[in-house]
């Protein structure tokens, strides 16, 4: 299947502009699955809880999810994209999955980073794997990468491809994803944003370099650090289903969970 990412620079608070930008990039893409960055519709650097409240949307009724559903239908593809979700009195840093037939599901970020902990509620739905026919995909968001448990759980639940919506500010993730994919024998699509946000006396620079990571410590695609870019590669999904490392070792069969109990 043809799978990839959209890397661009969202402008904080300008939801309509950001949706238009993404729409025109999806329009030109040739893919079965595209992953968009974390909070791609709002931008990242909130300065108050009120901003998070004002910019959050209901899922699937809000305009961002509706735009994604329309694009998925028109282009006959699957989309994963990060947005600020309002659910009753709660606000989540979420990513939605939509198909050509409409809304499929939502992942709510489990491991909140830095001041996100002030604006958002921690994810309450855990890690889910979606069988979309062409592949089984799992979703995680940005900082989840630093907890190997996130990708491990998704992989043990059968994910072939990890869709990783991101707003990366530390320089470590892209290289770490090579190890995450190697240890789980899964593909990953890390969709990062670019640019610098300066708000409320703070400044964050996002590292770009979105990437599609292969199974064997190989990089299938890495974008530039500050380019607007749509990266797509052909992925042989079946390869992720065989966890055999050599004639003697299988990555999942050889696990010894009876010795891992202290993790809890
Ligand atoms: C992050 O989780 N946005 C670094």
């Amino acid at each position: 299947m043809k799978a990839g990412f959209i890397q661009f620079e969202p402008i904080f608070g300008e939801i309509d502009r950001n949706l238009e930008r993404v729409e025109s990039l999806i329009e030109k893409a040739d893919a079965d699955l595209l992953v968009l960055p974390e909070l791609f519709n709002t931008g990242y650097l909130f300065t108050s809880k009120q901003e998070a409240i004002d910019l959050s949307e209901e899922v699937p009724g809000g305009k961002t999810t509706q735009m994604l559903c329309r694009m998925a239908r028109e282009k006959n593809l699957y989309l994963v994209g990060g947005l600020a979700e309002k659910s009753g009195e709660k606000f989540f840093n979420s990513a939605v999955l939509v198909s050509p037939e409409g809304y499929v599901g939502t992942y709510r970020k489990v491991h909140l980073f830095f001041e996100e902990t002030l604006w958002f509620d921690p994810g309450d739905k855990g890690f889910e794997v979606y069988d979309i026919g062409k592949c089984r995909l799992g979703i995680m968001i940005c900082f989840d990468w630093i907890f190997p448990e996130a990708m491990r759980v998704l992989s043990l639940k059968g994910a072939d491809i990890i869709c990783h919506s991101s707003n990366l500010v530390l320089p470590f993730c892209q290289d770490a994803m090579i190890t995450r994919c190697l240890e789980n024998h899964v593909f990953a699509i890390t969709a990062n944003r670019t640019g610098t946000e300066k708000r409320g006396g703070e400044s964050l620079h996002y590292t770009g370099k979105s990437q599609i990571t292969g199974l064997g410590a190989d990089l299938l695609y890495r974008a530039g650090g500050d380019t607007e870019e749509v990266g797509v590669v052909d992925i042989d999904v079946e390869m992720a289903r065989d966890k055999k490392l050599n004639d003697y070792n299988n990555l999942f069969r050889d696990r010894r969970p009876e010795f891992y109990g202290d993790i809890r």
Side-chain angles (χ1 to χ4, degrees):
M1 68 183 289
K2 288 186 192 149
F5 60 80
I6 286 181
Q7 171 172 297
F8 79 116
E9 179 175 355
I11 304 297
F12 189 88
E14 298 190 17
I15 293 181
D16 288 342
R17 177 267 181 202
N18 296 331
L19 296 190
E20 271 168 36
R21 195 74 219 113
V22 161
E23 204 173 314
S24 77
L25 291 167
I26 298 173
E27 192 68 57
K28 286 182 234 139
D30 176 18
D32 303 304
L33 166 68
L34 285 176
V35 184
L36 310 173
E38 176 183 15
L39 295 169
F40 84 89
N41 61 338
T42 58
Y44 182 80
L45 193 46
F46 292 85
T47 58
S48 69
K49 176 88 183 174
Q50 192 58 46
E51 281 184 344
I53 292 171
D54 292 344
L55 292 172
S56 293
E57 296 178 18
E58 284 178 352
V59 173
K63 64 177 160 185
T64 299
T65 312
Q66 287 304 307
M67 180 282 278
L68 294 175
C69 288
R70 181 166 49 75
M71 292 310 292
R73 189 174 62 243
E74 283 176 23
K75 292 285 290 179
N76 192 33
L77 49 58
Y78 287 79
L79 293 165
V80 173
L83 79 180
E85 180 195 1
K86 169 182 165 56
S87 174
E89 296 304 305
K90 293 201 164 180
F91 298 88
F92 298 100
N93 181 343
S94 296
V96 293
L97 167 65
V98 304
S99 79
E101 283 76 46
Y103 168 75
V104 178
T106 304
Y107 166 68
R108 293 172 171 165
K109 189 173 185 179
V110 165
H111 304 102
L112 297 175
F113 179 69
F114 195 56
E115 290 178 339
E116 287 169 41
T117 53
L118 304 177
W119 327 133
F120 294 112
D121 294 281
D124 57 357
K125 285 155 65 95
F127 298 98
E128 210 170 320
V129 170
Y130 300 90
D131 190 339
I132 64 167
K134 284 189 172 159
C135 77
R136 296 184 297 238
L137 64 82
I139 304 172
M140 63 181 202
I141 299 180
C142 206
F143 191 53
D144 283 330
W145 74 268
I146 212 165
F147 302 88
E149 294 88 348
M151 251 175 94
R152 187 58 128 192
V153 168
L154 288 170
S155 303
L156 289 172
K157 286 177 121 173
D160 308 307
I161 302 178
I162 307 298
C163 299
H164 183 206
S165 293
S166 296
N167 279 184
L168 293 160
V169 292
L170 303 175
F172 313 114
C173 172
Q174 287 89 340
D175 288 339
M177 288 304 284
I178 294 172
T179 304
R180 293 280 172 280
C181 288
L182 181 67
E183 63 201 7
N184 291 296
H185 213 251
V186 293
F187 296 96
I189 302 169
T190 299
N192 197 15
R193 61 161 290 171
T194 57
T196 300
E197 284 181 314
K198 290 193 175 73
R199 306 193 71 244
E202 282 186 63
S203 171
L204 284 179
H205 177 69
Y206 305 95
T207 57
K209 298 182 185 170
S210 295
Q211 76 182 34
I212 306 170
T213 315
L215 309 172
D218 50 334
L219 210 45
L220 304 180
Y221 193 113
R222 185 177 276 179
D226 56 11
T227 47
E228 182 173 273
E229 208 164 326
V230 181
V232 175
V233 301
D234 248 311
I235 286 181
D236 181 356
V237 171
E238 284 296 320
M239 286 171 62
R241 300 201 174 164
D242 181 4
K243 304 298 180 184
K244 180 176 165 178
L245 198 59
N246 57 44
D247 284 347
Y248 301 91
N249 295 110
N250 180 294
L251 285 172
F252 283 7
R253 186 202 60 205
D254 293 353
R255 296 176 64 248
R256 304 288 306 278
E258 67 271 34
F259 294 115
Y260 307 156
D262 291 341
I263 285 179
R264 291 198 65 84

